[in-house]
Amino acid sequence: MTIHFSKYQGTGNDFIIIDNRNNQFPSENVALIEQLCHRRFGIGADGLILLENDKVSDFKMVYFNSDGNQSSMCGNGGRCIVAFAKKLGIIKNQTTFLATDGLHFASFSPEGIVALQMKEVDEVQIFDHHIFLNTGSPHHVQLVENLQNFDVKNQGREIRNSSLYGKAGSNINFVSQENPETFSLRTYERGVEDETLSCGTGATAVAIAMHASGKTTSENIKLNVQGGQLEVSFLKIGENYTTVYLKGPATFVFEGKIEV
């Protein structure tokens, strides 16, 4: 079987994206997806995304972690599949598409930045040493000192697999504040089971968590990730965070064919 694929990255979070409107890709083949994402024996990526037909929107996004399993919403992946859909000619400068957590609106700025509307957040759980919320995927947010030298992989794995989150686990974000409107973060992603250079739902979670906990009053927050910078904006209405947007670049890297 020959698979035609494209490779995209959003602030270093990289994805294999496949046009599956003909439903030819064997999406139930966990081992194949894991192999394609493998950085030594495959194409290499943090995840694999299928673009499929949808009856009520421009297209459907189906996302798989690099372990081969279908997963929850991926913010950077969502921005990348929007760029891919534009390259295919499916959309122009704005779109509505379906993901696992519902419909998403996205648009392009004149500079090529993709702004992706994320799900509303109506619950932020604030604990003594961390914050938990769901931005399409579950996220643990924790302020730490000396973020640059923090052991993200081992500390993240320990919390992800702890009794705090059970078998399903959670993504783990470690954060430091740079100024009133800017935060730096590093993320351990479940399913990848390692630190990634960027996590879109993680950046969204950090922005909302820092606002909810009183670390910032801004509703337009910059997030420094290992692979660049993202921006998250929202409106706080009552206890709800609404009109949530994740903004950043979505870059085509290369395309090719692979025999499997």
Side-chain angles (χ1 to χ4, degrees):
M1 179 181 181
T2 302
I3 297 172
H4 185 274
F5 68 90
S6 292
K7 182 80 175 286
Y8 278 77
Q9 61 89 9
T11 54
N13 203 188
D14 60 340
F15 308 97
I16 299 163
I17 308 184
I18 295 170
D19 180 358
N20 194 40
R21 287 176 292 174
N22 60 8
N23 291 314
Q24 294 298 304
F25 185 82
S27 58
E28 74 289 343
N29 192 333
V30 174
L32 172 61
I33 296 170
E34 184 177 20
Q35 179 187 342
L36 291 173
C37 291
H38 199 287
R39 297 192 183 278
R40 297 292 184 270
F41 300 106
I43 300 164
D46 291 326
L48 182 145
I49 306 172
L50 301 179
L51 185 149
E52 298 185 345
N53 291 313
D54 184 57
K55 294 180 180 178
V56 299
S57 66
D58 293 325
F59 59 89
K60 179 181 179 182
M61 169 185 173
V62 185
Y63 177 69
F64 301 85
N65 281 325
S66 60
D67 63 3
N69 293 301
Q70 191 169 342
S71 188
S72 48
M73 181 57 185
C74 174
N76 287 328
R79 292 187 306 98
C80 286
I81 198 172
V82 168
F84 179 64
K86 184 177 181 180
K87 188 171 187 288
L88 290 178
I90 297 172
I91 64 169
K92 292 184 179 179
N93 288 320
Q94 61 182 35
T95 183
T96 300
F97 69 93
L98 181 66
T100 184
D101 62 341
L103 289 171
H104 289 263
F105 172 78
S107 63
F108 287 87
S109 74
E111 298 76 29
I113 296 296
V114 179
L116 172 65
Q117 187 168 17
M118 306 294 284
K119 65 171 285 187
E120 294 187 359
V121 175
D122 57 11
E123 183 180 16
V124 181
Q125 300 177 47
I126 301 176
F127 300 94
D128 289 341
H129 301 294
H130 74 278
I131 301 165
F132 179 80
L133 65 162
N134 192 307
T135 53
S137 291
H139 282 277
H140 171 109
V141 177
Q142 181 175 324
L143 284 161
V144 299
E145 295 181 359
N146 195 13
L147 178 64
Q148 184 175 354
N149 296 313
F150 193 81
D151 187 357
V152 171
K153 184 172 183 177
N154 288 319
Q155 294 294 323
R157 181 191 294 120
E158 182 177 344
I159 299 170
R160 177 257 192 270
N161 291 305
S162 71
S163 59
L164 196 62
Y165 297 115
K167 184 177 180 180
S170 174
N171 300 287
I172 312 299
N173 304 274
F174 300 105
V175 186
S176 67
Q177 184 164 8
E178 304 301 332
N179 60 50
E181 299 178 350
T182 305
F183 296 84
S184 295
L185 70 142
R186 296 173 64 187
T187 303
Y188 180 94
E189 285 200 53
R190 65 173 187 169
V192 179
E193 305 309 331
D194 203 347
E195 180 179 7
T196 55
L197 293 181
S198 176
C199 176
T201 55
T204 306
V206 167
I208 292 174
M210 294 299 97
H211 187 275
S213 61
K215 299 298 181 183
T216 181
T217 58
S218 176
E219 294 183 337
N220 192 10
I221 298 172
K222 293 180 172 60
L223 290 309
N224 297 322
V225 297
Q226 296 291 88
Q229 188 176 79
L230 295 168
E231 187 175 331
V232 173
S233 62
F234 50 77
L235 295 175
K236 175 76 180 298
I237 301 177
E239 296 302 314
N240 294 339
Y241 286 87
T242 186
T243 319
V244 181
Y245 276 89
L246 170 68
K247 305 166 190 174
T251 306
F252 171 76
V253 183
F254 63 87
E255 63 182 338
K257 295 179 181 180
I258 187 168
E259 297 288 336
V260 297

